[in-house]
Amino acid sequence: MELVDARGGDLGVTRKRKRNDGENNTLSNFSLDDLNQDILERVLSRLPTSAFFRLSSVCKRWKSVAASSSFKSACSDISARDPWFFMVDPHLNRSIVFDSTEKNWKKLNYPNLLQNHHLDSMPVAASGGLICFRNSLGNFVVSNPLTGSCSELPPVDLDQKDQSLHAIVMSEDPDGCKGSYKLVLVYGQVPKLRFKVYSSTTGCWDEDVALSRKVDDSIDFNFNDDTVVYFLSRTGNVVSTNMQRSPSKQYSSVVTNRNGEDTVYFISSSGTIMACNLNKKCFVEYPRLLPVFSEYSIDVVECQGEMLVVMLSEFLETASLRVWRYDEEARTWHQIAALPPAMSHEWYGKKVDINCVGAGDQILICMNSNDLYTYLLCDLVENQWTELPKCYMNGEAVEFMSAFSFEPRIEATV
């Protein structure tokens, strides 16, 4: 039997294939049935992930392959898979993803452990093939959105009450076994920040660690981290504003690993980027991209192991959406991509909130206002911007607040 379509169409079988005259008869008569179990599993493991859900309907042998542990082991040998984007909508009770390979929307089964109507669970972090949720009690649940398997982490006890939680990040644990992960929380009041780490290898939370302020005379620090920022407008009036975040991205943060050092980045309530080096146990506040009084929405993403900033700002009666990289040596920001003005201008004056997530060389940007919403996919290598199609459920378009990127891996365990 032969695989006919592995890009979103139905899987089918055929017993005859047309060959050019003179082609080797051995190849023309080749069938997947001739492969031993190990080779067949390795061949099927290279299919797009969406095809895995249809393997069991092809034949009995493929059904047994899909259920075998050795097949999942073969899948784990695939170094990387195209990302899927787990979308967050206001209902918080369904799993809708955008498949970046097939360029379409998919609805997955919502995990049973999260189906508690009294405890809304919000996705807060993702790594590999797993997504971490936080419920209204403050407890964390890690889930594989493809299989629906879930595991609730032990309750976390922050040292002091009324501590502000700034960052929740998830990453692979290099010190653990294959597929292990760690969850990092950064909390406290600036400049008294602390962090705490959960390891899936040990199954418990480590003791919290204090972060010290890294002094850099070339940067003008601002540790007045009040929720509300006051400034003097051009007309001389005192105006107050704050960095409003979508509830799903109130802990907007990313983690990078460079030269063996983990650094967590998050946005302070005043709109600056904070960088916390977990290995050196210190933090620094990066210089502001725009003045406090500028109208803008900002988010941080991780792409190819580095932190980038996406910012939507307004200037000279137009809107501008740009991607920035921070130069550690020069202590300055550099623009690396920008949405064409013809596409960004329509957002001027709309009070837009952007929520972004990185995946490899791509950034998915959710743009929401009271009047409009859209989702853009930015290719940083080609500087190409693509608007995603609307997602319809039961005949109605679904508006998403934010997204989390993950690798669709059926073998990922919680």
Side-chain angles (χ1 to χ4, degrees):
M1 285 174 281
E2 176 199 1
L3 185 63
V4 175
D5 183 5
R7 287 188 58 84
D10 292 332
L11 291 175
V13 295
T14 182
R15 297 187 180 279
K16 294 183 71 176
R17 293 185 295 180
K18 291 184 178 181
R19 295 282 180 173
N20 296 329
D21 293 340
E23 190 172 11
N24 188 289
N25 289 331
T26 302
L27 290 177
S28 63
N29 294 327
F30 174 77
S31 168
L32 289 179
D33 281 340
D34 298 331
L35 298 178
N36 62 38
Q37 190 77 358
D38 178 65
I39 299 300
L40 178 63
E41 289 175 350
R42 292 183 179 277
V43 171
L44 297 182
S45 69
R46 283 160 172 76
L47 291 175
T49 304
S50 58
F52 293 165
F53 299 100
R54 300 191 291 271
L55 290 181
S56 59
S57 63
V58 176
C59 63
K60 290 183 178 180
R61 187 184 183 195
W62 285 24
K63 183 177 181 179
S64 67
V65 167
S68 69
S69 58
S70 55
F71 173 64
K72 293 182 179 179
S73 177
C75 291
S76 68
D77 291 334
I78 305 300
S79 59
R81 295 192 182 275
D82 291 339
W84 284 12
F85 296 97
F86 186 93
M87 310 302 294
V88 184
D89 71 87
H91 297 290
L92 298 178
N93 60 356
R94 54 188 176 187
S95 299
I96 300 175
V97 299
F98 181 78
D99 182 341
S100 67
T101 302
E102 299 182 354
K103 309 299 182 185
N104 59 20
W105 301 98
K106 292 178 170 59
K107 186 176 181 181
L108 306 178
N109 294 326
Y110 196 68
N112 292 329
L113 187 59
L114 301 178
Q115 294 180 12
N116 187 330
H117 299 292
H118 302 290
L119 295 175
D120 287 338
S121 296
M122 179 79 71
V124 291
S127 177
L130 303 176
I131 294 179
C132 179
F133 294 78
R134 187 172 188 249
N135 62 30
S136 55
L137 294 179
N139 296 327
F140 295 96
V141 176
V142 173
S143 170
N144 181 330
L146 265 66
T147 64
S149 59
C150 289
S151 175
E152 187 169 2
L153 306 190
V156 56
D157 181 24
L158 301 183
D159 270 2
Q160 303 176 28
K161 294 182 179 179
D162 302 323
Q163 290 281 15
S164 297
L165 186 56
H166 300 289
I168 304 174
V169 296
M170 191 177 182
S171 65
E172 295 181 1
D173 187 355
D175 299 325
C177 58
K178 188 175 182 179
S180 61
Y181 64 88
K182 57 184 179 181
L183 189 69
V184 180
L185 313 180
V186 178
Y187 64 98
Q189 300 295 334
V190 178
K192 297 180 180 180
L193 294 177
R194 310 181 73 86
F195 72 91
K196 204 175 188 73
V197 179
Y198 171 84
S199 169
S200 66
T201 302
T202 62
C204 61
W205 293 91
D206 295 341
E207 294 294 326
D208 68 322
V209 180
L211 291 165
S212 62
R213 166 185 166 182
K214 180 181 178 182
V215 178
D216 190 334
D217 294 335
S218 66
I219 297 178
D220 181 18
F221 291 94
N222 174 20
F223 291 112
N224 182 19
D225 198 31
D226 297 329
T227 301
V228 179
V229 177
Y230 297 90
F231 60 90
L232 195 65
S233 70
R234 293 192 183 106
T235 60
N237 298 320
V238 175
V239 182
S240 66
T241 185
N242 56 12
M243 296 297 297
Q244 295 289 345
R245 303 296 306 167
S246 164
S248 62
K249 294 302 287 290
Q250 60 181 307
Y251 309 114
S252 184
S253 48
V254 297
V255 60
T256 65
N257 183 286
R258 301 184 69 179
N259 301 320
E261 296 183 353
D262 288 329
T263 302
V264 175
Y265 301 87
F266 67 90
I267 305 172
S268 72
S269 59
S270 60
T272 57
I273 306 301
M274 310 293 289
C276 306
N277 188 309
L278 305 186
N279 299 80
K280 295 181 178 178
K281 301 178 179 59
C282 64
F283 72 94
V284 65
E285 182 181 22
Y286 284 174
R288 189 180 293 276
L289 266 163
L290 290 178
V292 169
F293 53 79
S294 299
E295 291 286 345
Y296 63 90
S297 179
I298 186 174
D299 206 355
V300 291
V301 299
E302 180 272 328
C303 290
Q304 298 292 12
E306 67 176 347
M307 183 275 297
L308 302 175
V309 166
V310 184
M311 178 178 286
L312 178 72
S313 59
E314 296 186 358
F315 185 68
L316 297 178
E317 298 185 352
T318 191
S320 173
L321 182 64
R322 303 171 188 269
V323 182
W324 301 83
R325 175 189 290 119
Y326 186 69
D327 187 329
E328 294 282 356
E329 295 184 359
R331 301 291 194 269
T332 57
W333 293 97
H334 296 282
Q335 176 185 309
I336 62 172
L339 181 67
M343 297 179 67
S344 61
H345 179 71
E346 67 172 316
W347 297 95
Y348 175 72
K350 302 298 184 182
K351 303 295 183 184
V352 178
D353 179 34
I354 63 170
N355 293 281
C356 315
V357 63
D361 289 316
Q362 302 179 94
I363 300 176
L364 177 64
I365 304 167
C366 298
M367 305 177 66
N368 301 81
S369 72
N370 292 332
D371 304 320
L372 300 170
Y373 66 89
T374 193
Y375 321 109
L376 298 174
L377 195 60
C378 171
D379 185 320
L380 294 173
V381 176
E382 303 294 336
N383 193 21
Q384 292 182 347
W385 300 74
T386 305
E387 184 174 356
L388 301 190
K390 290 287 191 294
C391 175
Y392 289 90
M393 292 289 166
N394 300 321
E396 295 185 359
V398 181
E399 180 178 358
F400 301 110
M401 302 181 295
S402 60
F404 291 83
S405 67
F406 70 101
E407 286 190 52
R409 291 187 172 274
I410 61 172
E411 75 276 11
T413 58
V414 296

